[in-house]
Amino acid sequence: MTPQQAVRRHKHLVVRDYLAELIATELEVGDAVPSERALTERFDVSRMTVRQALDALVAEGTLVREQGRGTFVAPRHADFEMRLTTFGEESRRRGLEPGAEVLEATTGPASPRVARALDLHVGTPVHHVARLRTADGTPMSIESSWIPAHLAPDLLTDGVPDSLYAVLRTLDLAPTWGEDTLQAADATPDEAKLLDMTTQHAVMRTQRRSYAGQTAVMYTQSTFRGDRYSVFVPLREARPMLVPRPARTAPHVPEVLTPTPEGAS
């Protein structure tokens, strides 16, 4: 599309669409986009209009600004589907190489919050594993998981396993269903540092409870980079609940006997 063909469109949208097409067809991750001056001359628009187009692409995570250097093509978003899979399994399914840095691996008493999530008494021993998860070497999320120690006593004996779900499967505790809660938030300073977030600090926090049948086998809290992570949620027609709640039964009403008059048949 030439500038002349787009005279009726909002000027900043024309510039944005041109850059989006350039990124999709010619530029690679890390390449610089044309300068503001080059774009103003090409489309005969003001620098403010060009910045509006660039700001939109930065907000979408398509571009990233580096102070004193310019504006560059950002790494692609990782589009993950909300399923009962591990971060590693989902990464490989998307053609990404997963990685992990162990931040903490301990066994200790369950806090009130963790105990409530795992249907345990407060103080019940649980394994806790915290990891920085990466995809193709890029920090993607901070993940903390808790597993009841009595379900997997030897979980941490030889160090942190590559996959916690895989260990549960070997113990006939493969997660069969779960619950996810998602919340948008701002990263804390420590989270921003671990996730290598320099400009935008938006994150998505998730809480997941994983069950094997009726047994809560894992509770996980994750913090994902908002500029590198997208969630794919397939929608289907309404169906009966996966785990039906027990049906409420009517209260028992004792039978009231009416005396029969003497001699009545």
Side-chain angles (χ1 to χ4, degrees):
M1 176 185 294
T2 67
Q4 291 76 18
Q5 293 173 322
V7 291
R8 294 186 180 180
R9 300 192 62 198
H10 292 293
K11 293 181 179 180
H12 78 277
L13 295 178
V14 176
V15 179
R16 187 190 67 180
D17 289 351
Y18 164 76
L19 290 171
E21 184 176 354
L22 194 66
I23 293 166
T25 59
E26 297 183 27
L27 300 180
E28 300 291 339
V29 173
D31 286 348
V33 298
S35 67
E36 291 183 4
R37 179 176 179 180
L39 292 170
T40 58
E41 292 177 354
R42 176 181 177 86
F43 291 95
D44 191 22
V45 295
S46 68
R47 182 161 293 189
M48 182 179 297
T49 298
V50 169
R51 287 177 180 171
Q52 188 177 2
L54 292 170
D55 288 344
L57 292 171
V58 170
E60 294 172 5
T62 303
L63 296 177
V64 60
R65 284 194 176 99
E66 295 187 13
Q67 188 69 30
R69 295 191 61 226
T71 306
F72 303 86
V73 179
R76 306 287 188 255
H77 274 238
D79 181 16
F80 289 98
E81 183 177 346
M82 300 302 288
R83 306 190 308 165
L84 270 179
T85 57
T86 67
F87 179 89
E89 291 168 344
E90 193 65 20
S91 295
R92 293 187 184 95
R93 195 171 71 88
R94 296 291 178 179
L96 304 171
E97 182 60 33
E101 175 187 341
V102 177
L103 305 175
E104 183 179 347
T106 59
T107 303
S111 67
R113 171 175 52 82
V114 172
R116 183 168 56 252
L118 290 173
D119 300 328
L120 302 172
H121 293 296
V122 174
T124 301
V126 292
H127 300 304
H128 174 219
V129 176
R131 292 173 290 184
L132 175 66
R133 307 307 302 260
T134 63
D136 284 348
T138 299
M140 294 292 289
S141 71
I142 303 167
E143 179 184 276
S144 289
S145 300
W146 291 265
I147 295 176
H150 68 274
L151 295 181
D154 301 324
L155 179 71
L156 303 179
T157 300
D158 297 321
V160 177
D162 292 336
S163 171
L164 300 180
Y165 269 25
V167 173
L168 292 175
R169 290 174 185 134
T170 64
L171 298 172
D172 292 327
L173 293 171
T176 54
W177 68 283
E179 300 172 342
D180 273 355
T181 302
L182 285 70
Q183 181 182 24
D186 289 328
T188 66
D190 287 343
E191 289 172 337
K193 183 177 181 180
L194 280 172
L195 293 172
D196 195 24
M197 303 177 71
T198 57
T199 53
Q200 299 187 37
H201 288 175
V203 296
M204 181 179 68
R205 302 191 193 284
T206 68
Q207 298 182 55
R208 170 174 291 186
R209 297 201 299 172
S210 301
Y211 289 81
Q214 297 298 315
T215 302
V217 296
M218 186 187 300
Y219 172 55
T220 303
Q221 289 185 329
S222 300
T223 299
F224 294 92
R225 292 181 59 158
D227 61 341
R228 294 290 181 272
Y229 189 89
S230 297
V231 176
F232 172 64
V233 182
L235 300 178
R236 302 179 177 88
E237 64 178 344
R239 297 178 180 177
M241 294 180 58
L242 182 62
V243 181
R245 294 188 177 94
R248 297 183 62 182
T249 56
H252 174 68
V253 179
E255 182 180 0
V256 177
L257 300 178
T258 303
T260 303
E262 186 175 352
S265 57

